[in-house]
Amino acid sequence: MKRLALTLSLALASSLCAQVTDKQLELSPDSDWLHYNGGYSSQRHSGLDQIRLSNVGSLVSKWVYHVPGGGGLQSVPIVVDGVMYITQPNEIYALDGRSGRLIWQYHHILAKAPDREGPNRGVAVFEDKVYFTTTDSFLIALNTASGNVLWQSKIAEASEGYHSSAAPLVAKGKVMVGVIYGDRGLNGFLVAFDARTGERLWQFDSIPKPGEPGSESWVGDSWKHAGGATWLTGSYDPELNLLYWAIGNPSPDFNGDVREGDNLYTDSMVALGLNTGKMKWHFQFTPHDVMDWDGAEIPVLVDAPFDGKMRKLLVQADRNGFYYVLDRETGQFLHGSKLARQVNWATGLTAQGRPILVPGIEPSLKGTKVCPSSTGATNWMSPTYNPQTGLFYFVALEGCGLATKNTEKFRPGGFQYRAGGDVLLKDDTWKVYVRALELTTGKQVWEQERVGSGSLGGGLLSTAGGVIFSGELNGEFVALNAKTGQPVWHFNTGQPINSQPMTYMVDGKQYVGLTANSDVFGFALFEPEKALAK
Amino acid sequence: MLRSIGISLLLAGANCIAPAQAASPNNPLGTGPEAVAAGHVIFNRTCTACHGTDGAEGERAPALVGDRRFFRLSENAIFDTIKNGILGTAMPALGLPDDDIWRIVVFIRAMRASASDVDVPGDAEHGAAVFSGKGGCLKCHMLLGQGGIIGPDLSNIGAQMTLQHLRESLTQARPIPIGYRPVKVVTRSGETVEGIAKNEDGFSIQILDFHDKLHLYDKSELRQIVHGTTSLMPRNYDQALTPGEYQDLAAMLGHQVTVKLHVKDQGEGEVGR
């Protein structure tokens, strides 16, 4: 062994307890990062402040792990006691969070489904188990220390075209998983499994069956191939014991003629009882959506004063171009405002939060300019809320599309059922920004352009160090001043970033973790004495 | 090649005579246990002088089974080699009747096949009782979600190993698989941790201890690292168990399959089994 400086011997190796408890899952992210969006509230705000505005300039990449065969990674790393879990479709990797070295990996062998299709967004953890879902629609539980498969449970029929790509959510011994694809006429649902045994407990169907409440919002048989995918991870309020899940677009995406009505519960936020999966309330952002603006964006839960009274709020930056503030106990609409300059399909929202439509601004046979485009004014890239600044941060896209519809028919087996699309108008106004809004008013406080990014890119992380981390599609990983939006650090990863950053601490050292295209990065502050000791 | 077989089969089915210059002869004997046993006898008489007993590697010719990469995998590739030899090497054209060559081909492929693809004698059900009982295997190994994690998961072992490899693992010292080498470290603060090294480089080591806990070290934090030289896997199952129990345990492991691997076994240049 090499001789070492005394200061280094103070660093103790982590002795790891691999048991993740309910209590830990309820905490805001600190040393561990236990959920896709950090905590049940999905605020993505970490209490760690070792990396802060005053020293973020000396942040360096400490390690890189290349994911074999990796590409387009969207997995958010989950870290438990220094062990990082990341995924790509049908594969899961456990890494040493300090060195990036592989501890174990597991490849789910498929009978038939495509192995590398779609993204996989990551894992959930509970007790000694780590959970992920597969392209052939299984939920798999593995031992956190060894990667041994403990059980696997079928979520949906892969032969019908169902996949599962979102990171699961674990709450009070239940694992919730969603399904895709809403763009293939497959009806979405959310399933809860027993986290210990894999037993199927309940299912919430995004599309009500005839006779059920909400079924009146569909005509004829249109409910049968109606979409409503559950393709992102939801949030949870342990006190109210309610899950908040955002539901995707209706099928076919662009031709609403075959599905007259509001098309519940597509493009909606639903609040579900954790124990039963029964819906307590719903709020529909875009009734009868014809632009693929699935309201699947992340529900962020914040307790804050509204009109002088403390409220349990749910805020969401929606793909349709509006920012919403809801009461998460009742689903009551409290506030809504435009989050993008280019919104031409609605002039505003009613007192109930329903869009006030501009006639004719919808896909047509010959094409209509609709703003935002089908990509949306924002999308799946996670936003963040910083309780210290009181600001809500999200990634915005200014841009429009030339939208057409057609008469494409549903075909069973998981084929595209969009019946139209839009040509993205990438003119001078097409720009990507990180924006900061006042939480309850939606008033924009600052914006910072992602120069050179042709589309949205990755999501955001906020830390108690006063920094917002932001991964851009052009490969730049950037730190912004949370108060002003000014860039304070950047690192070129050399590849497109399509994932959300996270942060964790091992042995007293804070790291920032990120997956970028084919690689996983671990960043920490530069330590000259340690570099010399090697 | 497959297409021409298909055509000649079609022709035979239509009661026609196959062309005299058929590109690919067909194995007329099947791959059943009788053909394998007969091939074993001919192999030992004809091939072992150079390739070693059961093709395990001889003094004059390479191994025909085991974990190396093979260039000749398909039935026809092996048949043609035995029939015609390999020019420029010591491998001669054997001059055996075609049926005997086919028997050798079937035997070699059976030796390479995963355990689940061959006939493993024994009572697998009783073997499962030995596995969880007298054998004590669950202490270290997991089977379908139950058992220990210090050894490899055996849920799919029948599809992953040849029968020979399986038997050797139970009875002989074998190279320690990557990620399972025993290791003992002493930290600078005096703590001792023992387990297996899941990974290691010049600067860090990742250890799973015997209490199922992971320990992640920068090597600068360690005073001492001692690597074990032998596997934690006992290798006396043919002694510790009765012959019947041992056979049944091997049968149980040989049949233990959750996912079939190496389905491309007809391909050329793939890693052989």
Side-chain angles (χ1 to χ4, degrees):
Chain A
M1 295 296 297
K2 291 167 187 165
R3 218 168 67 79
L4 296 150
L6 268 176
T7 49
L8 295 182
S9 66
L10 291 173
L12 296 172
S14 39
S15 180
L16 304 165
C17 175
Q19 294 285 331
V20 178
T21 64
D22 271 327
K23 201 80 210 151
Q24 282 171 279
L25 289 176
E26 289 187 16
L27 298 173
S28 299
D30 202 83
S31 291
D32 292 336
W33 186 274
L34 300 176
H35 300 277
Y36 177 74
N37 282 319
Y40 283 138
S41 69
S42 299
Q43 290 182 7
R44 303 196 114 258
H45 177 79
S46 170
L48 298 178
D49 65 355
Q50 189 178 78
I51 299 165
R52 60 185 76 163
L53 282 176
S54 58
N55 62 17
V56 67
S58 60
L59 200 61
V60 292
S61 175
K62 301 297 277 191
W63 55 262
V64 183
Y65 178 76
H66 174 67
V67 177
L73 291 177
Q74 294 191 9
S75 177
V76 173
I78 296 295
V79 172
V80 185
D81 286 328
V83 181
M84 175 183 284
Y85 302 93
I86 59 113
T87 62
Q88 66 173 335
N90 303 309
E91 284 189 356
I92 173 167
Y93 297 82
L95 308 179
D96 179 341
R98 307 200 312 173
S99 65
R101 301 288 298 180
L102 180 69
I103 300 169
W104 55 258
Q105 64 175 299
Y106 173 76
H107 187 171
H108 172 66
I109 308 282
L110 299 157
K112 276 189 181 137
D115 198 18
R116 283 282 176 272
E117 183 157 356
N120 186 281
R121 300 180 200 273
V123 307
V125 287
F126 178 57
E127 295 183 339
D128 62 346
K129 297 177 186 63
V130 53
Y131 308 87
F132 85 124
T133 60
T134 66
T135 62
D136 59 350
S137 281
F138 280 90
L139 169 66
I140 302 185
L142 306 99
N143 179 280
T144 47
S146 66
N148 289 8
V149 173
L150 302 171
W151 49 258
Q152 58 180 44
S153 296
K154 189 195 277 188
I155 302 164
E157 291 299 335
S159 60
E160 293 174 13
Y162 282 105
H163 291 198
S164 182
S165 57
L169 180 78
V170 178
K172 297 199 170 91
K174 294 182 176 65
V175 196
M176 272 60 66
V177 294
V179 292
I180 54 175
Y181 290 92
D183 301 323
R184 299 184 183 182
L186 300 167
N187 287 14
F189 51 84
L190 186 73
V191 191
F193 292 92
D194 185 308
R196 297 187 175 92
T197 65
E199 186 196 349
R200 198 179 181 104
L201 299 175
W202 54 253
Q203 173 171 327
F204 168 79
D205 290 317
S206 303
I207 311 296
K209 295 187 174 64
E212 293 175 357
S215 61
E216 69 284 353
S217 67
W218 297 88
V219 294
D221 282 346
S222 61
W223 65 274
K224 285 184 175 170
H225 309 299
T230 43
W231 62 279
L232 286 176
T233 307
S235 305
Y236 173 62
D237 183 329
E239 210 176 281
L240 299 175
N241 206 28
L242 288 177
L243 293 164
Y244 301 93
W245 228 272
I247 309 294
N249 60 281
S251 284
D253 303 31
F254 294 92
N255 189 341
D257 301 347
V258 298
R259 49 173 174 82
E260 284 301 316
D262 278 358
N263 306 140
L264 292 170
Y265 296 97
T266 63
D267 290 24
S268 300
M269 185 65 61
V270 296
L272 309 175
L274 176 71
N275 297 338
T276 62
K278 294 268 183 286
M279 192 172 73
K280 187 179 176 201
W281 58 258
H282 77 276
F283 178 85
Q284 191 173 36
F285 303 105
T286 316
H288 191 70
D289 170 27
V290 286
M291 279 299 289
D292 190 14
W293 288 328
D294 45 12
E297 293 68 49
I298 304 299
V300 179
L301 315 185
V302 185
D303 295 346
F306 189 92
D307 280 347
K309 190 180 142 198
M310 250 341 240
R311 298 287 278 263
K312 280 175 161 287
L313 304 177
L314 181 157
V315 300
Q316 199 225 39
D318 197 273
R319 195 163 159 176
N320 70 8
F322 287 90
Y323 172 73
Y324 294 85
V325 182
L326 308 178
D327 180 314
R328 72 174 184 273
E329 290 193 73
T330 62
Q332 185 195 347
F333 170 76
L334 299 177
H335 169 83
S337 47
K338 287 186 181 177
L339 54 73
R341 288 183 280 274
Q342 300 192 76
V343 177
N344 74 346
W345 66 285
T347 55
L349 304 174
T350 67
Q352 287 71 43
R354 195 176 172 94
I356 302 162
L357 299 178
V358 176
I361 305 300
E362 59 179 351
S364 58
L365 291 169
K366 291 193 170 173
T368 306
K369 182 176 175 178
V370 182
C371 316
S373 73
S374 68
T375 304
T378 186
N379 205 309
W380 52 263
M381 40 298 305
S382 298
T384 182
Y385 170 72
N386 182 332
Q388 291 161 331
T389 59
L391 299 179
F392 174 86
Y393 308 84
F394 73 106
V395 186
L397 172 62
E398 291 287 351
C400 308
L402 273 182
T404 53
K405 65 179 176 183
N406 60 46
T407 55
E408 184 176 52
K409 301 272 187 295
F410 173 77
R411 290 169 291 162
F415 296 96
Q416 174 182 292
Y417 182 42
R418 292 160 62 87
D422 66 342
V423 175
L424 304 177
L425 291 170
K426 295 201 172 181
D427 54 19
D428 287 348
T429 67
W430 184 275
K431 282 184 171 20
V432 182
Y433 299 89
V434 175
R435 285 183 177 152
L437 309 182
E438 278 183 7
L439 180 77
T440 53
T441 66
K443 193 177 147 228
Q444 186 172 309
V445 176
W446 57 255
E447 68 176 11
Q448 181 65 37
E449 187 183 346
R450 286 182 167 179
V451 177
S453 282
S455 198
L456 285 150
L460 305 175
L461 163 73
S462 162
T463 73
V467 179
I468 303 292
F469 287 95
S470 162
E472 304 187 353
L473 193 64
N474 60 26
E476 287 285 359
F477 186 42
V478 182
L480 304 172
N481 181 324
K483 281 188 185 148
T484 66
Q486 282 304 305
V488 286
W489 172 86
H490 71 103
F491 177 88
N492 181 4
T493 62
Q495 46 196 331
I497 300 171
N498 264 309
S499 177
Q500 355 282 351
M502 47 74 70
T503 186
Y504 59 100
M505 183 173 263
V506 196
D507 296 328
K509 190 174 172 70
Q510 184 185 356
Y511 295 81
V512 177
L514 175 78
T515 58
N517 191 42
S518 61
D519 298 290
V520 188
F521 288 80
F523 298 90
L525 295 175
F526 181 57
E527 294 167 293
E529 73 281 12
K530 191 150 188 172
L532 292 171
K534 294 274 188 230
Chain B
M1 182 198 286
L2 281 173
R3 184 173 299 160
S4 64
I5 292 173
I7 289 167
S8 60
L9 284 175
L10 193 69
L11 291 172
N15 235 356
C16 298
I17 296 163
Q21 298 267 316
S24 305
N26 296 312
N27 170 11
L29 304 174
T31 57
E34 297 82 11
V36 175
H40 195 175
V41 172
I42 303 166
F43 184 94
N44 278 347
R45 195 172 63 219
T46 316
C47 313
T48 48
C50 296
H51 287 287
T53 307
D54 292 342
E57 189 170 18
E59 291 183 3
R60 279 177 283 180
L64 300 178
V65 299
D67 289 334
R68 58 171 286 235
R69 181 177 284 271
F70 298 103
F71 290 105
R72 294 169 183 84
L73 284 171
S74 71
E75 288 190 333
N76 286 83
I78 301 170
F79 178 91
D80 290 348
T81 305
I82 299 171
K83 190 170 173 74
N84 303 314
I86 304 174
L87 195 61
T89 75
M91 175 70 195
L94 281 186
L96 291 169
D98 279 2
D99 278 1
D100 280 356
I101 295 179
W102 280 120
R103 290 184 178 99
I104 296 173
V105 169
V106 170
F107 170 71
I108 290 172
R109 285 178 51 81
M111 290 294 290
R112 290 178 182 179
S114 63
S116 62
D117 288 332
V118 299
D119 186 43
V120 191
D123 177 349
E125 204 172 312
H126 181 240
V130 175
F131 185 89
S132 56
K134 187 173 172 183
C137 310
L138 286 170
K139 188 169 164 249
C140 298
H141 294 285
M142 193 167 273
L143 195 70
L144 303 174
Q146 301 295 321
I149 60 172
I150 208 77
D153 190 313
L154 301 182
S155 304
N156 197 34
I157 194 68
Q160 290 169 325
M161 274 189 188
T162 65
L163 179 58
Q164 185 184 342
H165 189 161
L166 202 55
R167 284 184 171 142
E168 285 175 8
S169 299
L170 293 166
T171 58
Q172 298 176 20
R174 284 191 53 91
I176 304 170
I178 291 167
Y180 294 94
R181 178 174 293 279
V183 68
K184 179 171 138 180
V185 299
V186 182
T187 66
R188 295 204 163 265
S189 58
E191 188 196 6
T192 300
V193 171
E194 277 188 271
I196 53 174
K198 301 307 289 181
N199 203 348
E200 180 179 2
D201 64 10
F203 311 96
S204 74
I205 184 167
Q206 293 74 29
I207 299 172
L208 176 63
D209 76 10
F210 297 128
H211 309 286
D212 298 348
K213 278 186 187 171
L214 288 169
H215 302 260
L216 315 176
Y217 294 107
D218 189 296
K219 285 191 174 175
S220 64
E221 297 155 357
L222 300 177
R223 187 188 298 160
Q224 194 184 22
I225 304 173
V226 183
H227 293 97
T229 52
T230 53
S231 169
L232 297 169
M233 173 74 187
R235 47 188 137 122
N236 63 342
Y237 283 97
D238 51 343
Q239 312 290 320
L241 302 176
T242 68
E245 288 166 342
Y246 169 63
Q247 174 168 299
D248 294 346
L249 179 62
M252 171 263 172
L253 293 169
H255 286 103
Q256 183 57 49
V257 169
T258 51
V259 184
K260 276 276 189 188
L261 301 175
H262 305 292
V263 288
K264 290 192 284 184
D265 63 353
Q266 288 291 331
E268 296 287 329
E270 300 282 345
V271 176
R273 280 282 176 193

